[in-house]
């Protein structure tokens, strides 16, 4: 089920949708793939066009994480009977929102933009992350050396003691617009991928009123376990509904995932951006992480990703290949057991969300 290249993942996704009788769309984006291939963002609609209830699934927001997201989507497609959707439910799947990153094995796009920080309001001054400037020179070195992880860990501990855990986490992972060559760069304008995403929303979701939302990521949380990054307030209807849908999915708790119990103040996330693009849709769902490595190793992978593209070549001939292997282990482990878990998680969480969407519709119709 896992593909080993962007081209294989794309072809497999399109074949799976075609087998279900789905409708495919595709828009090219700038740049070339690692093998010189054309890069496209593809999407599929399964079921009736203009349905008021939509399951929306997105893979490859972070390119290197897209192999797992693609496999999760195709596992769902393999278990789906389109005849069960009826006249008022459909499925919209966006495949490889960051095709350049998926093809080249990088988290960000060709312009160093983190798409998960690119969905803010560019008509207003970007939200500042003033503490990022304090860490930039250390987390974005020109040269990589063996002592770097220890220095970064010490810096995080120092900032946590000084500023508190939430503010330190925001400095490291919240996103920023001040350093184009830095980590978590949210861009100076909407990225090409965001422009395509906006076109998809406008063309496919004008009639949608209720949405089940799944956005696939890897790297964060316990190995092989799903973690829902809940963005709705505790006690809200959307949060309660989502918890009910996925109560049997063996989810990792966010409180366990963040050792401090605090979370970053993320900016430019895709789901809040979608809510602004489509205020007519009531959305239940969240980004879903499937764990691979420790939290610090996941952040270290973000640093590795940046250094492999923008750092100065080392005299150590094997350093680049070793770091590339660590990057893959953080986002796309080759272990068969982990990949089997991704396939099962993708199948079961999509199906549970689809069932939940149907129940949600029935409850509101009855009331």
């Amino acid at each position: 089920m896992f593909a080993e290249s962007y081209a294989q993942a794309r072809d497999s996704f399109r074949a799976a949708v075609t087998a279900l009788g789905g409708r495919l769309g595709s828009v090219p984006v700038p740049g070339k793939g690692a093998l010189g291939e054309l890069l496209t963002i593809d999407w599929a609609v399964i079921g009736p066009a203009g349905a008021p209830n939509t399951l929306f699934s997105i893979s490859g927001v972070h390119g290197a994480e897209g192999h797992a997201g693609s496999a999760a989507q195709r596992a769902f497609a393999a278990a789906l009977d389109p005849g069960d959707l009826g006249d008022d439910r459909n499925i919209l799947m966006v495949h490889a929102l960051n095709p350049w990153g998926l093809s080249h094995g990088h988290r960000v796009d060709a312009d160093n933009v983190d798409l998960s920080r690119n969905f803010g309001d560019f008509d207003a001054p970007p939200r500042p992350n003033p503490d990022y400037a304090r860490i930039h020179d250390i987390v974005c070195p020109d040269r990589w050396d063996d002592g770097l992880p220890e220095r970064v860990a010490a810096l995080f501990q120092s900032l946590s003691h000084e500023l508190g855990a939430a503010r330190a986490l925001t400095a490291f992972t919240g996103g920023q617009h001040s350093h184009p060559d830095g980590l978590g760069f949210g861009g100076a304008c909407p990225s090409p991928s965001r422009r395509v995403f906006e076109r998809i929303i406008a063309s496919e979701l004008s009639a949608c009123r209720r949405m089940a939302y799944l956005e696939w990521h890897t790297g964060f949380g316990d190995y092989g376990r799903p973690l829902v990054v809940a963005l709705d307030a505790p006690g809200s209807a959307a949060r309660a509904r989502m918890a009910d849908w996925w109560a049997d999915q063996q989810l990792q708790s966010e409180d366990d995932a963040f050792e401090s119990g605090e979370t970053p103040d993320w900016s430019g996330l895709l789901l809040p951006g979608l809510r602004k693009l489509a205020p007519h849709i009531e959305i239940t769902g969240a980004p879903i992480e499937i764990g691979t490595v420790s939290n610090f190793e996941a952040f270290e992978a973000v640093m590795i990703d940046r250094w492999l593209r923008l750092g100065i070549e080392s005299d150590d001939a094997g350093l680049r290949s070793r770091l590339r292997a660590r990057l893959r282990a953080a986002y796309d482990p080759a272990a068969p057991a982990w990949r089997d878990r991704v396939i099962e998680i993708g199948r079961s969480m999509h199906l549970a969300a689809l069932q939940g969407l149907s129940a949600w519709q029935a409850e509101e119709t009855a009331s």
Side-chain angles (χ1 to χ4, degrees):
M1 184 74 68
F2 266 70
E4 297 302 325
S5 71
Y6 158 73
Q8 291 172 357
R10 178 180 187 267
D11 290 346
S12 297
F13 172 79
R14 292 177 67 85
V17 171
T18 299
L20 291 173
R23 173 170 55 83
L24 287 161
S26 181
V27 172
V29 295
K32 292 291 185 181
L35 302 177
E37 71 270 31
L38 177 70
L39 299 174
T40 63
I41 295 172
D42 296 88
W43 69 95
V45 177
I46 301 166
N53 304 284
T54 297
L55 184 146
F56 189 21
S57 172
I58 308 166
S59 68
V61 175
H62 292 137
E65 304 170 20
H67 288 294
S70 175
Q73 289 176 323
R74 286 181 281 116
F76 173 45
L80 181 66
D81 181 353
D84 293 338
L85 295 173
D87 296 329
D88 48 15
R89 285 189 302 166
N90 67 8
I91 295 160
L92 172 60
M93 292 195 285
V94 174
H95 183 264
L97 189 62
N98 177 4
W100 184 91
L102 179 53
S103 179
H104 289 269
H106 287 295
R107 187 173 186 269
V108 296
D109 74 3
D111 298 316
N112 195 44
V113 172
D114 182 335
L115 296 187
S116 193
R117 306 293 184 270
N118 184 240
F119 280 80
D121 182 3
F122 288 100
D123 292 329
R127 193 170 77 175
N129 185 352
D131 298 316
Y132 176 79
R134 300 177 60 179
I135 71 170
H136 174 79
D137 289 343
I138 295 179
V139 300
C140 297
D142 288 333
R143 300 184 183 277
W144 193 277
D145 66 80
D146 292 339
L148 180 61
E150 288 74 16
R151 294 196 299 275
V152 171
L155 174 62
F156 179 75
Q157 291 300 322
S158 175
L159 280 185
S160 295
H161 180 74
E162 176 189 348
L163 306 174
R167 189 166 160 185
L169 284 167
T170 299
F172 275 75
T173 67
Q176 53 85 20
H177 296 271
S178 56
H179 294 69
D181 63 338
L183 305 184
F185 179 55
C189 62
S191 65
S193 288
R194 174 174 167 171
R195 297 289 192 194
V196 174
F197 185 84
E198 291 173 347
R199 289 175 58 183
I200 295 170
I201 301 309
S203 64
E204 304 292 359
L205 292 174
S206 61
C208 179
R209 294 298 177 266
R210 301 179 196 89
M211 175 184 289
Y213 179 89
L214 304 94
E215 176 191 325
W216 294 99
H217 294 267
T218 62
F220 183 51
D222 289 346
Y223 186 83
R225 289 185 66 188
L227 169 69
V228 170
V229 183
L231 300 178
D232 295 301
S236 64
R239 182 100 170 232
R241 193 180 298 119
M242 180 180 68
D244 181 60
W245 291 358
W246 291 326
D248 298 328
Q249 298 299 315
Q250 300 181 335
L251 299 177
Q252 183 186 1
S253 166
E254 283 186 272
D255 292 337
D256 295 335
F258 289 97
E259 296 171 1
S260 65
E262 303 283 352
T263 57
D265 183 14
W266 290 294
S267 65
L269 298 182
L270 196 155
L271 177 53
L274 172 61
R275 284 183 161 134
K276 292 180 180 179
L277 288 171
H280 60 285
I281 303 175
E282 188 175 0
I283 302 174
T284 294
I288 301 165
E289 293 271 358
I290 302 177
T292 58
V293 292
S294 71
N295 291 355
F296 182 77
E297 289 172 310
F299 179 75
E300 188 180 15
V302 178
M303 294 169 53
I304 290 171
D305 182 66
R306 184 259 174 202
W307 185 84
L308 288 172
R309 291 174 296 105
L310 301 175
I312 296 174
E313 190 68 49
S314 170
D315 293 334
D316 182 348
L319 177 61
R320 183 169 290 272
S321 62
R322 294 196 301 272
L323 291 180
R324 173 62 71 177
R326 287 165 63 185
L327 186 64
R328 175 171 177 175
Y331 297 135
D332 181 29
W338 185 84
R339 292 185 167 192
D340 287 345
R341 283 290 296 141
V342 169
I343 291 166
E344 173 55 25
I345 290 166
R347 183 195 65 81
S348 61
M349 290 192 72
H350 276 114
L351 289 174
L354 186 62
Q355 182 178 6
L357 180 64
S358 180
W360 180 16
Q361 173 197 359
E363 289 168 7
E364 294 203 348
T365 300
S367 64

